[in-house]
């Protein structure tokens, strides 16, 4: 039986580099979490992601669609509307994203707390 070894954080793995690049872009994680609540049109996503501009949301949705994390459904008609939803790849991404969310809840101080305002100091 072969045991799969997990890459170490310092190994420069291209896969982890791509994952962090995705998450390091402003709003990507929040947009994906907003779509985890279900398909939505542009206005609904803006409602679910307070503070994002229309321009930024448009840009991020295009990028997330291009890498197949988000799917769009254009419904033709008099008032054609585009609805966005997580693709199968986007749904799979919710697993590590949810774990990251839980970790952050338990281990990262809230913004503005005394701990988050202090620089890290080396041990004795």
């Amino acid at each position: 039986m072969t045991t799969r070894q997990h890459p170490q954080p310092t190994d420069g793995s291209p896969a982890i580099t791509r994952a962090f690049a995705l998450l390091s872009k402003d709003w990507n994680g929040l947009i994906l979490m907003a779509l985890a609540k279900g398909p939505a049109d542009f206005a609904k996503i803006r409602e679910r992601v307070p503070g994002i501009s229309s321009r930024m949301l448009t840009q991020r949705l295009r990028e997330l669609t291009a890498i197949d994390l988000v799917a769009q459904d254009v419904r033709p008609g008099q008032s054609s509307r585009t609805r966005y939803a997580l693709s199968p790849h986007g749904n799979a991404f919710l697993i590590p994203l949810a774990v990251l969310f839980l970790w952050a809840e338990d281990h990262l101080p809230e913004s503005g707390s005394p701990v988050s305002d202090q620089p890290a100091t080396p041990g004795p």
Side-chain angles (χ1 to χ4, degrees):
M1 182 165 109
T2 305
T3 303
R4 182 176 175 181
Q5 293 205 350
H6 297 284
Q8 297 300 309
T10 58
D11 75 357
S13 167
I16 197 70
T17 300
R18 289 190 311 272
F20 278 115
L22 171 71
L23 285 175
S24 69
K25 282 194 167 183
D26 290 344
W27 306 104
N28 278 351
L30 296 174
I31 292 168
L32 294 171
M33 292 299 283
L35 289 173
K37 296 177 181 178
D41 63 16
F42 189 89
K44 187 61 147 176
I45 298 170
R46 278 207 62 205
E47 194 178 292
R48 291 177 184 174
V49 184
I52 192 168
S53 70
S54 293
R55 182 177 177 201
M56 180 60 69
L57 180 56
T58 298
Q59 180 180 347
R60 292 297 184 246
L61 285 171
R62 283 183 186 146
E63 291 170 1
L64 293 169
T65 300
I67 60 173
D68 196 28
L69 290 177
V70 171
Q72 58 181 3
D73 177 29
V74 180
R75 297 182 179 187
Q78 211 168 10
S79 62
S80 66
R81 295 193 74 122
T82 301
R83 290 185 49 89
Y84 298 90
L86 293 176
S87 69
H89 292 297
N91 276 315
F93 189 66
L94 289 180
I95 296 167
L97 198 57
V99 172
L100 181 61
F101 173 80
L102 292 173
W103 175 84
E105 285 283 312
D106 289 343
H107 300 284
L108 291 178
E110 291 183 29
S111 176
S113 73
V115 176
S116 66
D117 293 336
Q118 295 176 2
T121 55

